[in-house]
């Protein structure tokens, strides 16, 4: 059903049947949600001093009261401060909404809902509540405006369209306007497996008007869609068809076509052709079965009319048999801030695999959009969608998905910004790529090693060597880096290698090593790393690594272990990222995924594992971005040494049930904070060439936060990048 909320998960201020996902956030920061809250400007125009008092008195009588922050109750003010400090605190938002609703002051309700829905635009139940408040306290124009914003924010929600159409049936006077709204909704969600809610409303509307030919058309369209309740519609159609004369079932166009086709009497019935509706994914156009030989009366003609629909039904049942298991496994099709279990995450990937292979591009797009309601907090699905659209040549759609991900749904996840930077660079959007890196370095994850190195390599590719060096130097001055000696050592090594092997400045590299050893004289890692020789060319290194990691014997040697081959491939990724072009990076990462595809999700009903410190340091800094989805822990290759050379690839030890309402959570005792969880090696097995867009470290579960007292925990929209230690040094987010 798009995005319902479990009945046991929340308690709302309105009845459940009144709750059914906002203005899509236009910017990436949490301050965007408060644009409508900060101040109320007055613009009453210029009046003479003599009339000023009278005008103000009249305005006070005619205009509704203006509510500003000073007029807030103490509890409202407290909650506003909480959500301004942490815009991802879902529980405090819902408490703030309750406070605003108690007073029934429309301006307060509007400001609260506008700010909340900018952060959580997929909460269709709150859109419904917002529209209900506008209906009660505002005007019909505002109700329509809220619904229009809602269907723009959560376009592929069956429930949202059903609620909007229900309102239209009650309030709109023009039947064509109502019918047009139904058609808009059907064009987006009419093929959803649970779209019977909207189809039922559409049938009800035409039944109420006794538009029997339109009812018959709707049934004809439904029978071409593999819905969950297809059998019910089939039985209903047969009852309906045999309860009305054929003349009532056929449209005027069909009747005219039937009469025209029946005019020639010299051709035998066996030669008469019955055409069918071309197969499409959508149901935006009414099916037009051309029973051209039918006469508008008689049992035989009616049987022929029904027989065409029976063929539609049969075809739909065949497709239903293929997708039923995938659909049944989707236990939470709606948005929620709590994490999904691995069984459902894996099922979405498998379902997408199937549809991409057999369903065509329209079915693929609609399934991705459904997936990104339930899985909105997971970067891997956004990345996969961008890649798919890119492969199909739909760059505009790819960029739209990337914008939604990085500005709203996973905007606090470092990996989505790293992916965005790489993808934008490949599209020659240098300004956009640089902006994505700056989001990480300036606010989201300053000191994140992967972001620093990749940003510097990016600037090097643009010919900005001095800028690249300044990035390293600025990072070394960060307080969080200075406080962690292991992180500083790794960053010094990366900087020295960059100077020596990328910028060809060995003297500067030696100075960096000297400075580092003066600062960290007891660092074994620095002592080992300070004797690196030069490098080989990218093409030569690639040829060596390809030969070494190919799953076959090397001349004069036995087959390398899988861990050794993967380690060599990871070293190559780091090398190519530093010295190669963006195309070199793309090819190397694609080759890595081809040879070392991590396993698919298979764990049943188990949350993601906690932080796994067993993955080698190099793998955490340089590996192709494959989303973050695999569930079973993956045993990584051995840790690599600070002595590993660019042209010497021997791995060494060293550093390394569904309600129809969005409800308010029940009051509970304080709950322990949600523990951070570790993404493992990712979903490369499902993504093929996806890795061509950058080797990004996985950063844990979807955005999470610790729950506040008296509310159950919600897992989404966490606070930035969790600190973790990997093989003795922090890998990021210090």
């Amino acid at each position: 059903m798009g995005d319902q909320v479990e009945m046991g998960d929340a308690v709302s201020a309105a009845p459940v049947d009144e709750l059914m996902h906002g203005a899509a956030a236009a910017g990436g920061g949490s301050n965007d949600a408060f644009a409508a809250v900060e101040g109320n400007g007055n613009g009453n125009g210029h009046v003479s001093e003599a009339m000023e008092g009278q005008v103000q008195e009249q305005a006070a009588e005619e205009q509704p009261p203006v509510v500003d922050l000073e007029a807030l109750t103490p509890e409202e003010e407290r909650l506003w401060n909480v959500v301004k400090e942490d815009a991802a605190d879902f529980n405090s938002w819902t408490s703030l909404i309750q406070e605003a609703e108690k007073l029934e002051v429309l301006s307060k309700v509007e400001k609260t809902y506008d700010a909340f829905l900018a952060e959580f635009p997929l909460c269709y139940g709150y859109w419904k509540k917002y529209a209900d408040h506008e209906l009660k306290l505002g005007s019909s124009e505002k109700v329509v405006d809220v619904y229009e914003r809602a269907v723009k924010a959560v376009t592929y929600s069956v429930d949202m369209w059903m609620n909007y159409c229900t309102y239209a049936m009650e309030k709109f006077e023009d039947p064509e306007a109502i019918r047009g709204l139904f058609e808009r909704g059907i064009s987006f969600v009419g093929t959803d497996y649970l779209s019977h809610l909207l189809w039922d409303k559409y049938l009800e509307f035409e039944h109420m008007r006794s538009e029997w030919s339109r009812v018959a058309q709707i049934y004809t369209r439904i029978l071409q869609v593999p819905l969950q309740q297809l059998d019910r519609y089939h039985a209903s159609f047969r009852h309906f068809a045999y309860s009305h004369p054929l003349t009532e079932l056929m449209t005027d166009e069909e009747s005219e076509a039937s009469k025209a086709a029946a005019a020639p009497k010299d051709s035998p019935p066996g030669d008469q052709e019955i055409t069918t509706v071309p197969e499409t994914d959508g149901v935006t156009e009414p099916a037009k079965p051309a029973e051209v030989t039918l006469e508008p009366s008689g049992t035989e003609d009616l049987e022929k009319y029904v027989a065409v629909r029976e063929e539609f039904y049969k075809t739909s049942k065949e497709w239903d048999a293929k997708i039923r298991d995938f659909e049944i496994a989707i236990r939470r099709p709606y948005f929620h801030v709590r994490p999904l279990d691995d069984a459902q995450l894996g099922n979405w990937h498998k379902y997408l695999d199937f549809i991409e292979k057999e369903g065509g591009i329209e079915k693929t797009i609609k399934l991705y959009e459904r997936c990104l309601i339930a899985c909105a907090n997971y970067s891997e699905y956004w990345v996969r969608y961008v890649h798919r659209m890119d492969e199909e040549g739909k760059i505009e759609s790819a960029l739209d998905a990337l914008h939604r991900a990085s500005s709203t749904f996973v905007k606090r996840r470092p990996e989505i910004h790293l992916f965005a930077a790489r993808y934008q660079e490949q599209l020659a959007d240098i300004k956009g790529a640089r902006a994505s890196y700056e989001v990480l370095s300036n606010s989201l994850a300053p000191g994140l090693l992967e972001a620093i190195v990749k940003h510097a390599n990016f600037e090097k590719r643009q010919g900005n060597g001095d800028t690249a060096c300044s990035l390293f130097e600025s990072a070394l001055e960060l307080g969080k880096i200075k406080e962690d000696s292991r992180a500083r050592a790794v960053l010094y090594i990366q900087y020295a290698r960059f100077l020596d092997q990328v910028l060809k400045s060995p003297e500067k590299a030696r100075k960096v090593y000297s400075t580092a050893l003066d600062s960290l004289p007891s660092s074994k890692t620095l002592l080992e790393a300070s004797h690196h020789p030069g490098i080989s060319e990218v093409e030569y290194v690639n040829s060596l690594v390809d030969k070494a990691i190919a799953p076959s014997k090397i001349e004069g040697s036995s087959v390398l272990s899988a861990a050794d081959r993967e380690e060599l491939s990871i070293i190559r990724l780091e090398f190519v990222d530093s010295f190669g072009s963006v195309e070199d990076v793309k090819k190397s990462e694609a080759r890595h995924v081809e040879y070392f595809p991590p396993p698919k999700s298979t764990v049943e009903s188990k949350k993601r594992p906690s932080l796994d410190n067993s993955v080698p340091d190099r793998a955490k800094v340089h590996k192709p971005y494959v989303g973050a989805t695999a569930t079973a822990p993956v045993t990584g290759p051995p840790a690599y040494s600070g002595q590993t050379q660019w042209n010497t690839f021997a791995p060494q030890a060293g550093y390394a049930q569904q309600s129809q309402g969005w409800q308010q959570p029940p009051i509970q005792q304080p709950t322990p904070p949600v523990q951070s969880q570790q993404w493992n090696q990712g979903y490369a097995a499902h993504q093929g060439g996806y890795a061509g867009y950058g080797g990004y470290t996985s950063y844990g579960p979807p955005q999470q936060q610790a729950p506040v007292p008296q509310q159950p925990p919600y897992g989404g929209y966490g606070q930035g990048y969790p600190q973790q230690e990997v093989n003795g040094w922090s890998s990021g987010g210090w």
Side-chain angles (χ1 to χ4, degrees), residues 599-650:
K600 301 180 181 181
S601 299
T602 56
V603 180
E604 291 293 330
S605 302
K606 185 180 76 173
K607 296 293 185 288
R608 294 193 182 279
S610 59
L611 290 172
D612 179 6
N613 295 335
S614 65
V615 181
D617 300 347
R618 188 185 293 274
K620 289 181 176 290
V621 177
H622 288 277
K623 71 184 176 82
Y625 186 85
V626 290
T629 176
T631 58
V634 177
T635 302
Y640 76 104
S641 172
Q643 295 178 332
T644 302
Q645 303 170 8
W646 289 120
N647 57 350
T648 305
F649 295 102

Side-chain angles (χ1 to χ4, degrees), residues 120-181:
F120 303 96
L122 298 181
C123 296
Y124 76 89
Y126 285 93
W127 283 111
K128 174 62 167 60
K129 291 180 66 178
Y130 190 3
D132 289 344
H133 283 293
E134 290 289 5
L135 181 62
K136 180 180 180 180
L137 305 173
S139 64
S140 59
E141 290 80 6
K142 286 189 174 182
V143 176
V144 172
D145 178 66
V146 169
Y147 273 122
E148 285 293 331
R149 290 167 56 193
V151 296
K152 180 180 179 181
V154 57
T155 306
Y156 289 84
S157 168
V158 175
D159 300 85
M160 197 70 260
W161 283 106
M162 183 200 67
N163 286 317
Y164 191 6
C165 290
T166 299
Y167 171 80
M169 288 172 62
E170 296 172 355
K171 302 297 182 179
F172 290 7
E173 297 181 357
D174 183 3
E176 287 302 321
I178 301 172
R179 192 171 288 121
L181 186 61

